[in-house]
């Protein structure tokens, strides 16, 4: 039996019922259960959420909440959480999504049989309101070479679906803060150091989306952060100058010029399948 960890984080805006569903989906509802779930609590949370976490801790013996007094942000909380994980394989999970029951059975076996891969993700479905109301899919390349090429324009990995080799993540400096692009920055540093990444063709996680998500993926601050990542990619040879300018124009139109509702339509029509 292969031991592995799950790393999750929650903060004050997360809803208690969604967190319960997410935690259960990576524990008692999995055909292959983890040895531990490190649940990082990023600063003060609501009474309902705190009570839910305490209840889950009593129900699931390998759930290990880590309570931080102050909010430190996603990049920092995941960096700290990675230090708490005691296994080489660490699966990521977001607090408002739902992992499919056979996710780890497929993913952990694949990582064990492909030791050359530092990260293995999978495809995702996206739903609004209820898990049965699937509105789109985000499909990414499976082959490592294709993932490296894909990274020039878009993330080749769905962050909430990945399983990572802890040693590789720590080797490149672990997670680091980068507003809404902590995962993109990590993938780039892994690729720069020669690590390989890949994906399963299977849907592993059902992801909650909606207007709030598209609002987070818009506005000048997000555009500015994303441009920083593009500049970093170009300076490190991970994208061409033509790709940089193309992405600059498209992202300015989508992130800055489009209202949330139109941005949501754009993502579903052109960025999803």
């Amino acid at each position: 039996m292969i031991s592995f960890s799950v790393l999750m984080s929650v903060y004050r805006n997360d809803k208690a019922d969604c967190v319960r569903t997410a935690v259960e989906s990576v524990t008692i509802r999995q055909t292959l259960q983890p040895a531990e779930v490190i649940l990082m609590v990023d600063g003060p949370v609501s009474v309902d959420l705190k009570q839910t976490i305490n209840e889950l801790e009593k129900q699931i013996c390998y759930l290990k909440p880590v309570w931080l007094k102050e909010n430190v942000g996603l990049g920092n909380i995941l960096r700290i959480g990675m230090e708490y994980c005691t296994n080489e394989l660490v699966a990521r999970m977001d607090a408002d999504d739902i992992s499919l029951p056979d996710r780890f059975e497929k993913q952990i076996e694949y990582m064990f049989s492909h030791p050359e891969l530092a990260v293995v993700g999978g495809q995702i479905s996206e739903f609004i309101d209820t898990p049965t109301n699937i509105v789109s899919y985000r499909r990414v390349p499976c082959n490592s070479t294709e993932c490296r090429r894909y990274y020039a324009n878009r993330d080749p990995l769905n962050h909430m679906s990945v399983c990572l080799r802890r040693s590789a993540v720590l080797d490149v400096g672990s997670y680091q803060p980068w507003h809404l692009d902590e995962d993109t920055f990590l993938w780039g540093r892994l690729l720069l150091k020669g690590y390989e990444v890949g994906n399963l063709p299977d849907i592993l996680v059902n992801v909650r989306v909606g207007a709030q998500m598209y609002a987070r993926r818009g506005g000048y601050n997000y555009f500015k952060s994303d441009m920083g990542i593009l500049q970093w990619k170009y300076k490190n040879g991970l994208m061409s100058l033509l790709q940089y300018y193309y992405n600059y124009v498209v992202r300015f139109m989508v992130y800055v010029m489009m209202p949330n509702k139109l941005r949501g339509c754009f993502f579903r029509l052109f960025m999803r399948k």
Side-chain angles (χ1 to χ4, degrees):
M1 183 68 69
I2 305 170
S3 292
F4 65 98
S5 305
V6 174
L7 176 57
M8 297 181 62
S9 69
V10 298
Y11 79 125
R12 62 181 179 272
N13 287 354
D14 288 320
K15 296 180 180 178
D17 57 340
C18 295
V19 171
R20 178 181 292 277
T21 300
V23 169
E24 290 180 347
S25 79
V26 293
T27 56
I28 59 176
R29 303 196 185 283
Q30 282 292 316
T31 56
L32 176 63
Q33 296 185 19
E36 63 181 8
V37 176
I38 305 299
L39 182 63
M40 303 298 298
V41 185
D42 192 6
V45 295
S46 68
V47 174
D48 285 348
L49 182 51
K50 185 175 182 179
Q51 181 178 340
T52 296
I53 294 171
N54 289 333
E55 290 173 356
L56 287 167
E57 185 180 12
K58 293 176 181 178
Q59 296 166 9
I60 303 167
C61 63
Y62 51 86
L63 178 67
K64 302 175 181 178
V66 179
W67 304 83
L68 270 65
K69 292 182 179 180
E70 297 181 358
N71 179 272
V72 297
L74 185 59
N76 284 320
I77 200 73
L78 293 180
R79 175 181 54 80
I80 297 168
M82 191 64 68
E83 297 289 343
Y84 277 91
C85 294
T86 61
N87 294 287
E88 168 67 354
L89 298 185
V90 180
R92 273 283 291 119
M93 180 62 182
D94 283 346
D96 52 0
D97 300 330
I98 304 170
S99 284
L100 272 64
D102 59 353
R103 171 187 171 181
F104 296 146
E105 185 177 348
K106 293 176 178 178
Q107 195 169 29
I108 300 302
E109 179 183 347
Y110 192 80
M111 289 205 77
F112 182 74
S113 60
H114 292 79
E116 74 280 6
L117 295 176
V119 187
V120 171
Q123 317 306 317
I124 61 171
S125 53
E126 298 177 326
F127 70 94
I128 293 177
D129 296 330
T130 63
T132 56
N133 183 31
I134 295 174
V135 295
S136 57
Y137 299 88
R138 183 170 191 265
R139 300 193 183 276
V140 286
C142 294
N143 178 271
S144 181
T145 302
E146 292 176 0
C147 285
R148 180 175 291 272
R149 190 181 304 121
Y150 197 83
Y151 181 76
N153 294 303
R154 298 180 63 193
D155 278 342
L157 298 156
N158 292 310
H159 189 202
M160 72 293 293
S161 77
V162 301
C163 186
L164 314 109
R165 295 194 193 277
R166 183 175 180 272
S167 58
V169 173
L170 296 181
D171 183 45
V172 299
S174 194
Y175 281 95
Q176 296 181 15
W178 198 306
H179 180 60
L180 292 177
D181 279 320
E182 296 88 353
D183 53 337
T184 307
F185 191 34
L186 177 59
W187 313 149
R189 285 179 286 124
L190 285 166
L191 293 174
L192 274 178
K193 201 151 187 182
Y195 286 106
E196 295 187 32
V197 304
N199 290 291
L200 292 171
D202 311 83
I203 294 171
L204 300 184
V205 183
N206 198 8
V207 176
R208 192 182 307 271
V209 298
Q212 191 175 30
M213 185 198 80
Y214 297 122
R216 291 198 303 268
R217 293 285 168 175
Y220 183 74
N221 285 338
Y222 180 64
F223 171 74
K224 184 179 179 181
S225 175
D226 221 33
M227 287 306 98
I229 281 284
L230 291 184
Q231 290 169 7
W232 181 85
K233 286 183 183 182
Y234 173 65
K235 289 178 180 178
N236 286 279
L238 293 169
M239 73 187 315
S240 68
L241 185 61
L242 180 62
Q243 288 170 324
Y244 172 81
Y245 282 119
Y246 170 79
N247 276 277
Y248 182 96
V249 172
V250 171
R251 293 176 191 224
F252 181 81
M253 296 297 294
V254 174
Y255 298 153
V256 179
M257 302 299 292
M258 283 186 182
N260 290 346
K261 187 172 292 187
L262 184 58
R263 188 183 304 119
C265 293
F266 176 87
F267 269 88
R268 286 192 291 270
L269 288 173
F270 299 105
M271 309 294 281
R272 301 293 191 262
K273 296 181 180 179

